[in-house]
Amino acid sequence: MIRFSANWVLPVSDAPIDGGVVAIDEGRIVSVASGETGADVALGRVAILPSLVNAHTHLELSYLHRRIPPAQRFLDWVRPMLAARRERTAVDDTVILQAATQAIQSARAAGTGLMGDVTNTLAAVPLLDEAGMAARVFHELIGFTGLHADEQVASARRAIDALVVDEDIRLSLAPHAPYSVSPALFSAIRHDLDDHGSVVSTVHLGESPEEVEFLKTGSGPWRVLLEELGVWNGAWQAPRSSPVEYLTEMGFLDASVLAVHGVQFEGTDLDRLRALGVTLVSCPRSNRHVGVGSPPLEAFYAMDVEVAIGTDSLASVDDLNMFGELAEARRIAPKVSARALLRSATLTGARALGFESEFGSIEAGKRAALLAVRVPDGVSDVEEYLVSGVEPASIEWLPSTPAPRRGSGWPEGPSKANSRFPTPR
Ligand SMILES: [Zn+2]
């Protein structure tokens, strides 16, 4: 057992502790208590907090970093994005895999311990597994024509069942979005999820004004694009409702679903999501980049909807640093407390992804996937500091397993980086 003391401990499941000790044994949290006596390692001016949970990424798109410029309107971002993905065959697979590997490493260096990753190709699955990054991987399906939905789902199911991965990599199916998935495909995916114990799923929802227009009227830029792509479904009828109403009527939304973005959601949508227990995943930096505006985060919290945070992919955000995402959330939602934002980036994400027993808070029995963030002199409100944009240089992973001391340095833990913190006494 090893005990770390720090000037601040943020259990998340409980109020922050000024001066606390966290005891760890065999990779698990044994206890958390106030007072700094009896520690093996005194960390001083750091905050110990649970590792962060990035509830929405697309690691396989990491190779598109800085290749799709910011747009003023969503479709002006989607079109070059689709063109870049069509050229994917011209991109060497090793480039794609290297970019995804690097993205996982930099996410970990910035304090992320668990991800919700969306994939069409399953390419990043072995990379997550090798890197030891816990993840809920969503095998995302797209198909608006309504043809062969059952076959598509059966084939995707076979593909994820064939993967041999650690139990920290949990796979399920997910539909992309209401404008790219037919009712038949939504329904086939829902059956698969129910057949597997209402397993966690996700869907992009309420991201752009064009999506709202499409569902209300059946026309607009999405209709044009679907026709251009040759995937228009002549039998499809616009539901003349909001994205949330549409998927609620369809029976797709429930407490096992993470609805991503919600930039266009209003009061009644938020009421509905709260009643259904849906977790909203907000990715505010990506929303700005793709030209859909900023999400009404203050309304999400005011309406008591469960909110998790994600970065989205490197195709629409500059890095996968969740502390950067928190800083943007803080900027656009000054009325939301730093504490609430930190909870979203930890416990709410872990719960939504189905990893609550392992991640998201500092509680006895959970995995010791903990961060020590250096707090500069002069900072008195640590929670506020943690949502102001922390850089990897200030972040250290706590070693989770005691190992023989080797003269100096910390016992070896999940982080291979040299410790910048004081050596154990
Ligand atoms: Zn996404």
Side-chain angles (χ1 to χ4, degrees), residues 56 58 204 260-261 312:
H56 187 74
H58 301 249
H204 297 87
V260 182
H261 296 311
D312 217 338

Side-chain angles (χ1 to χ4, degrees), residues 376-396:
D377 290 343
V379 169
S380 56
D381 188 333
V382 169
E383 290 170 291
E384 206 54 64
Y385 173 70
L386 291 171
V387 298
S388 70
V390 175
E391 293 298 329
S394 305
I395 302 165
E396 186 81 20

Side-chain angles (χ1 to χ4, degrees), residues 52-55 110 112 285 309-311 320-327 345:
L52 304 187
V53 180
N54 186 343
T112 292
R285 288 186 301 172
I309 311 270
T311 58
L320 300 189
N321 183 350
M322 282 287 290
F323 285 104
E325 207 64 45
L326 281 168

Side-chain angles (χ1 to χ4, degrees), residues 329-344:
R330 190 84 197 97
R331 189 185 72 79
I332 63 172
K335 288 184 188 154
V336 178
S337 70
R339 188 171 301 179
L341 293 174
L342 288 166
R343 186 183 182 88
S344 287

Side-chain angles (χ1 to χ4, degrees), residues 4 24 43 49-52 104-114 132-133 359 367-373 392 394-400 410-421:
F4 297 92
I24 290 170
L43 297 173
L49 65 154
S51 53
L52 304 187
I104 296 168
Q105 285 164 357
S106 54
R108 172 173 287 148
T112 292
L114 169 66
M133 173 68 82
F359 289 92
R367 200 175 301 191
L370 306 178
L371 311 177
V373 175
S394 305
I395 302 165
E396 186 81 20
W397 284 80
L398 282 195
S400 63
W410 282 20
E412 285 187 2
S415 168
K416 301 282 192 295
N418 290 326
S419 171
R420 291 177 292 266
F421 290 122

Side-chain angles (χ1 to χ4, degrees), residues 56-58 61 118 140 176 204 207 260-261 283 286 312-313:
H56 187 74
T57 60
H58 301 249
L61 301 182
V118 178
E140 178 188 77
H176 173 253
H204 297 87
E207 184 173 13
V260 182
H261 296 311
C283 313
S286 169
D312 217 338
S313 81

